[in-house]
Amino acid sequence: MELTNAIVKKPGKSMVDGISKSNLGKPDYEKAVIQHNNYIKALEKAGLEVTVLEAEEDYPDSVFVEDPAIVTSDFAVITNPGADSRKGETEAIESAIKEFYSVDNIHRIESPATLDGGDIIQVNNILYAGISDRTNTAGVEQLSEIAGNYGYKTFGIEIENMLHLKSGASYIGDDTVLITGMFLGRPEFLKYNQIILGDSEDYAANSVRVNDYLIIPSGYPMVKKKLEAAGFKLITLDVSEFRKLDGGLSCLSLRF
Ligand code: CIR
């Protein structure tokens, strides 16, 4: 399905205080701004019209706009992010989303349910939902009910040792998933072609298909080779400063 729009948000200077378990040190704000601009250019090259929201210094992680919402071609869901410091990010995202969806098609995850958009992998009208430190079972149930009304099916997948489901698995179009070893043999993904990442390249699991292009992080030559051999048209981007905050390529935009 052709994607036409993206929403991104500029990184704020406060990003240096974002949540991180990576042990890679603090991000460099100036460098992050350059990387973010290149990210916008890549989305544009892939054919998207990009809405760029202003930075919100009160929310250090708010550059990761994928988490406070889920967007499909039929409906949008404003989530209830699992991290307390991120809950307030939904307000600005909801205003942005209202420009594109009718109020009847905007839904909400309500407390005590929590859900981060980074836990959702969409394959047409199937949603795979990671049950993680951020997304609880109630969150998946609420999503399932909302999405069910539009004919979508939702499947929960328990995950461990990673932030979000999409930290370890992506659907990259053409019936193909890009997965880390952890998801090898998972029944949910057996029906897809699988490209498996070596342990040292796990981070590249968070890659994004946008129309004809697959955007991957730079610095992962083995998977790059495999993807090229499989016929994917690649755009490679350096997102080192976002990686320091456990964030990847998909986290930086909402695409619809
Ligand atoms: C967080 O811990 O919430 C942020 N530092 C990183 C969020 C990354 N988002 C994503 O994978 N969708």
Side-chain angles (χ1 to χ4, degrees), residues 74-96:
D74 298 300
F75 63 94
V77 179
I78 308 301
T79 70
N80 178 26
D84 285 343
S85 65
R86 301 199 60 190
K87 291 198 188 291
E89 291 177 27
T90 53
E91 214 171 290
I93 289 298
E94 182 164 359
S95 309

Side-chain angles (χ1 to χ4, degrees), residues 18-20 61 64 66-67 86 116 118 134 163-164 167 245-248 250-251:
I19 309 168
S20 175
D61 286 298
F64 300 114
E66 180 179 63
D67 295 317
R86 301 199 60 190
D116 276 13
R134 301 288 176 85
L163 176 59
H164 290 128
S167 317
L245 298 177
D246 308 324
S250 77
C251 326

Side-chain angles (χ1 to χ4, degrees), residues 164-229:
H164 290 128
L165 177 59
K166 261 191 284 205
S167 317
S170 298
Y171 178 69
I172 55 173
D174 297 313
D175 271 325
T176 306
V177 288
L178 179 60
I179 53 173
T180 62
M182 179 177 289
F183 291 102
L184 250 183
R186 284 288 318 200
E188 294 86 352
F189 296 141
L190 287 176
K191 62 180 163 186
Y192 304 109
N193 303 319
Q194 304 193 337
I195 296 182
I196 318 287
L197 292 139
D199 287 345
S200 61
E201 299 209 328
D202 273 5
Y203 180 72
N206 189 261
S207 291
V208 199
R209 177 72 183 260
V210 184
N211 299 331
D212 291 342
Y213 292 94
L214 179 65
I215 309 177
I216 66 166
S218 60
Y220 302 95
M222 289 183 301
V223 69
K224 186 166 184 250
K225 239 189 203 158
K226 278 190 196 170
L227 289 165
E228 273 166 352

Side-chain angles (χ1 to χ4, degrees), residues 4-229:
T4 52
N5 285 282
I7 296 172
V8 303
K9 180 179 272 195
K10 292 181 188 169
K13 293 197 174 76
S14 64
M15 76 178 286
V16 296
D17 298 319
I19 309 168
S20 175
K21 290 191 175 160
S22 75
N23 281 324
L24 294 171
K26 296 250 182 220
D28 175 326
Y29 167 73
E30 308 291 339
K31 227 172 161 184
V33 169
I34 295 168
Q35 292 179 351
H36 197 256
N37 281 333
N38 290 337
Y39 182 77
I40 293 170
K41 282 188 202 137
L43 295 179
E44 287 172 344
K45 180 172 175 182
L48 303 189
E49 189 163 319
V50 183
T51 299
V52 184
L53 307 179
E54 286 307 314
E56 253 189 312
E57 296 294 351
D58 287 349
Y59 299 105
D61 286 298
S62 57
V63 70
F64 300 114
V65 289
E66 180 179 63
D67 295 317
I70 300 164
V71 286
T72 74
S73 54
D74 298 300
F75 63 94
V77 179
I78 308 301
T79 70
N80 178 26
D84 285 343
S85 65
R86 301 199 60 190
K87 291 198 188 291
E89 291 177 27
T90 53
E91 214 171 290
I93 289 298
E94 182 164 359
S95 309
I97 279 178
K98 276 188 179 148
E99 299 293 319
F100 298 96
Y101 291 83
S102 74
V103 280
D104 292 346
N105 293 328
I106 302 177
H107 304 274
R108 267 163 214 84
I109 300 295
E110 309 278 4
S111 193
T114 61
L115 190 144
D116 276 13
D119 272 317
I120 308 303
I121 293 177
Q122 184 186 353
V123 184
N124 305 316
N125 64 351
I126 298 178
L127 302 177
Y128 297 105
I131 301 166
S132 65
D133 286 348
R134 301 288 176 85
T135 297
N136 60 20
T137 321
V140 177
E141 280 166 8
Q142 283 188 17
L143 175 65
S144 176
E145 202 174 317
I146 294 163
N149 290 329
Y150 293 87
Y152 286 56
K153 281 207 158 21
T154 304
F155 299 96
I157 299 181
E158 298 225 11
I159 60 163
E160 277 170 13
N161 304 324
M162 62 176 74
L163 176 59
H164 290 128
L165 177 59
K166 261 191 284 205
S167 317
S170 298
Y171 178 69
I172 55 173
D174 297 313
D175 271 325
T176 306
V177 288
L178 179 60
I179 53 173
T180 62
M182 179 177 289
F183 291 102
L184 250 183
R186 284 288 318 200
E188 294 86 352
F189 296 141
L190 287 176
K191 62 180 163 186
Y192 304 109
N193 303 319
Q194 304 193 337
I195 296 182
I196 318 287
L197 292 139
D199 287 345
S200 61
E201 299 209 328
D202 273 5
Y203 180 72
N206 189 261
S207 291
V208 199
R209 177 72 183 260
V210 184
N211 299 331
D212 291 342
Y213 292 94
L214 179 65
I215 309 177
I216 66 166
S218 60
Y220 302 95
M222 289 183 301
V223 69
K224 186 166 184 250
K225 239 189 203 158
K226 278 190 196 170
L227 289 165
E228 273 166 352

